[in-house]
């Protein structure tokens, strides 16, 4: 249970109805925080979080239907409750789509976040945990990436995260009262061990694991493997996949750092395992966990993709006391547990 100083603390979680948001909100409730979610859709996922949290803790969970690009929504959500910190997870996150629709990504990710900072400042809430991404490293020269590497995204999605990190650094320089932590996620996969909440993308999944998941349950015929001649061990691209429950714990660790004493300013932490896994290795691991064959089709590379991205999490371990606990086997086990129990995600049919 959280120390008494945190029990009354109130956290606003943007995008709290999404994959990372729901897992983070559940952990916040279990750690004794009061939570308000602002999300632009009313997902069944939030009811599932209430199921898992139980009636007592669910009394500390409030939901506000709103969009960060609507200043009236922000005025309402900030005037109703005094927040001690914000965890900002809301945002579009598909690399391939961002290459095809850059304006959609700049509008959604940049304008929404700038509005959020404005209202946080107006209401005196100057503690932010921001969902950044390892995609800000682009195609790094040296692997694993460390936080002081030169940044340079390779696609509009990654550039929205890079621009927002720079905007945050400027905000904090102008007003040192701000305490901002950037969490550079690797690739979130897996699901809560209950199988009651998990990733349920709208439409055809863009990310690898939810796509594999839908092939395994028979909703999609085969996996397109984007790129099979990369200079890697098996020719397919390599990423650092991280269990979403590890990621949720990383947000709690960052929040504790924000509330602790001592200067923070604006600081970034990689949240990864420090290990790289190829697309074909991920397919094999999921087949082992699920007992299902995943048919594949070798396809040309996807625009905007890097060859190899994985990050060192030593700084997070040293300064946040956080490290990833789960490996690829548990990620695939839990992703399959969610998929097999919810073949159509949160819907009763596709
Ligand atoms: C992984 C690999 C694809 C789909 C994502 C998002 C964002 C960020 C980092 C948090 C790539 C290949 C994919 C498919 C495939 N995380 N692939 N067939 O692009 O690394 O980035 O994670 O902010 O979520 O930016 O993730 O899962 O789309 O791709 O072969 O149907 O799988 O080419 O090599 P990505 P991804």
């Amino acid at each position: 249970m959280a120390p008494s100083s945190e029990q009354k603390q109130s956290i606003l979680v943007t995008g709290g109805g999404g994959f990372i948001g729901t897992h983070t909100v559940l952990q916040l409730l279990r750690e004794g925080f009061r939570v308000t979610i602002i999300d632009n859709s009313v997902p069944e996922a939030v009811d599932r979080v209430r199921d898992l949290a139980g009636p007592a803790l669910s009394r500390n969970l409030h939901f506000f239907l709103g969009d960060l690009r609507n200043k009236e929504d922000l005025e309402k959500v900030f005037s109703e409750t005094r927040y001690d910190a914000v965890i900002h997870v809301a945002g579009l996150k598909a690399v391939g789509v961002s290459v095809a629709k850059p304006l959609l990504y700049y509008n959604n990710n940049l304008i929404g976040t700038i509005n959020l900072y404005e209202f946080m400042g107006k209401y005196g809430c100057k503690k932010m945990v921001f969902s950044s991404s390892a995609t800000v490293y682009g195609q790094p020269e040296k692997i694993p990436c460390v936080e002081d590497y030169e940044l340079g995204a390779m696609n509009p999605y990654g550039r929205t995260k890079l621009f927002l990190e720079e905007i945050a650094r400027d905000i904090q320089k102008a007003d040192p009262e701000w305490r901002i932590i950037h969490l550079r996620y690797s690739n979130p996969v897996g699901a809560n061990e209950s199988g009651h909440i998990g990733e349920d993308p709208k439409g055809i999944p863009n990310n690898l694991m939810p796509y594999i998941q839908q092939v395994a349950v028979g909703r999609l015929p085969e996996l397109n493997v984007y790129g099979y001649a990369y200079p890697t061990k098996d020719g397919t691209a390599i990423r650092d996949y991280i269990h979403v429950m590890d990621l949720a714990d990383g947000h709690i660790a960052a929040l504790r750092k924000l509330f602790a004493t001592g200067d923070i300013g604006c600081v970034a932490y990689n949240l990864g395992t420090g290990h790289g896994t190829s697309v074909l290795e991920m397919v094999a691991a999921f087949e082992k966990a699920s007992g299902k064959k995943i048919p594949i089709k070798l396809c040309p590379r996807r625009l905007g993709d890097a060859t190899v991205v994985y990050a060192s999490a030593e700084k997070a371990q040293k300064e946040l006391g956080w490290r990833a606990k789960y490996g690829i086997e548990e990620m695939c086990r839990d992703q399959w547990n969610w998929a097999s129990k919810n073949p159509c995600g949160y819907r009763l049919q596709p």
Side-chain angles (χ1 to χ4, degrees):
M1 194 57 183
S4 57
S5 59
E6 290 172 342
Q7 274 170 343
K8 302 272 178 304
Q9 278 169 321
S10 179
I11 311 297
L12 176 66
V13 180
T14 73
F19 173 42
I20 296 164
T22 46
H23 286 80
T24 300
V25 165
L26 178 59
Q27 287 312 96
L28 286 167
L29 293 172
R30 287 174 170 169
E31 292 289 326
F33 290 97
R34 287 190 295 119
V35 178
T36 297
I37 291 173
I38 178 170
D39 204 306
N40 58 11
S41 65
V42 186
E44 144 84 13
V46 175
D47 291 336
R48 302 276 189 107
V49 170
R50 293 184 197 281
D51 296 342
L52 291 171
L57 291 181
S58 294
R59 279 199 285 276
N60 295 331
L61 174 56
H62 305 285
F63 182 86
F64 181 91
L65 178 63
D67 191 306
L68 300 184
R69 289 168 296 176
N70 181 328
K71 291 194 173 185
E72 284 169 20
D73 289 349
L74 282 167
E75 182 61 48
K76 198 162 167 21
V77 79
F78 274 94
S79 57
E80 278 176 0
T81 307
R82 189 189 64 75
Y83 302 106
D84 297 287
V86 173
I87 295 181
H88 178 31
V89 183
L92 298 175
K93 60 147 190 160
V95 167
V97 177
S98 80
V99 173
K101 300 178 179 175
L103 261 184
L104 171 70
Y105 270 66
Y106 289 123
N107 184 296
N108 189 81
N109 290 3
L110 295 185
I111 293 175
T113 306
I114 289 166
N115 288 348
L116 179 63
Y117 274 119
E118 277 176 14
F119 280 85
M120 287 174 70
K122 178 179 175 183
Y123 282 88
C125 173
K126 297 183 178 180
K127 292 185 180 71
M128 163 75 103
V129 176
F130 174 64
S131 156
S132 187
S133 165
T135 40
V136 300
Y137 294 114
Q139 180 50 71
E141 292 290 311
K142 269 178 62 189
I143 292 283
C145 313
V146 291
E147 286 83 354
D148 60 2
Y149 268 18
E150 191 181 338
L151 304 179
M154 288 175 66
N155 53 68
Y157 160 75
R159 274 187 281 277
T160 66
K161 294 297 184 181
L162 180 53
F163 296 161
L164 288 170
E165 284 202 14
E166 296 299 349
I167 288 168
R169 282 187 269 275
D170 288 339
I171 289 169
Q172 201 281 330
K173 274 196 202 104
D175 174 358
E177 269 188 41
W178 280 92
R179 295 163 71 86
I180 302 171
I181 290 181
H182 293 147
L183 296 180
R184 292 175 181 165
Y185 301 166
S186 300
N187 291 44
V189 297
N192 180 276
E193 76 277 8
S194 64
H196 202 44
I197 56 176
E199 187 165 17
D200 180 24
K202 296 185 184 74
I204 303 287
N206 292 289
N207 291 131
L208 178 68
M209 284 301 269
Y211 201 107
I212 290 176
Q213 159 182 316
Q214 291 196 14
V215 173
V217 297
R219 287 175 62 185
L220 292 168
E222 63 184 2
L223 170 73
N224 297 318
V225 173
Y226 296 131
Y228 51 92
Y230 281 106
T232 60
K233 49 191 145 182
D234 59 18
T236 62
I238 291 175
R239 296 290 185 275
D240 182 343
Y241 296 93
I242 181 170
H243 200 297
V244 65
M245 287 168 65
D246 277 328
L247 208 57
D249 288 343
H251 289 79
I252 305 293
L255 211 46
R256 293 196 196 291
K257 179 83 178 177
L258 282 183
F259 290 131
T261 54
D263 276 346
I264 286 185
C266 184
V267 61
Y269 294 98
N270 294 331
L271 292 192
T273 67
H275 303 292
T277 305
S278 76
V279 172
L280 291 182
E281 284 174 328
M282 214 55 184
V283 171
F286 195 89
E287 287 180 329
K288 186 166 172 240
S290 63
K292 299 283 184 183
K293 179 75 186 133
I294 304 292
I296 63 169
K297 182 178 158 204
L298 300 178
C299 301
R301 296 182 181 189
R302 185 173 66 175
L303 283 179
D305 273 348
T307 305
V308 185
V309 183
Y310 57 92
S312 158
E314 277 177 27
K315 185 179 173 189
Q317 185 167 350
K318 196 162 137 251
E319 298 182 16
L320 301 181
W322 173 92
R323 64 193 297 273
K325 296 192 293 289
Y326 302 104
I328 295 294
E329 202 175 296
E330 291 94 346
M331 293 177 213
C332 292
R333 175 200 66 195
D334 293 341
Q335 184 110 23
W336 174 240
N337 183 37
W338 150 254
S340 56
K341 289 176 177 172
N342 304 274
C344 297
Y346 291 114
R347 285 169 295 282
L348 294 175
Q349 58 213 355

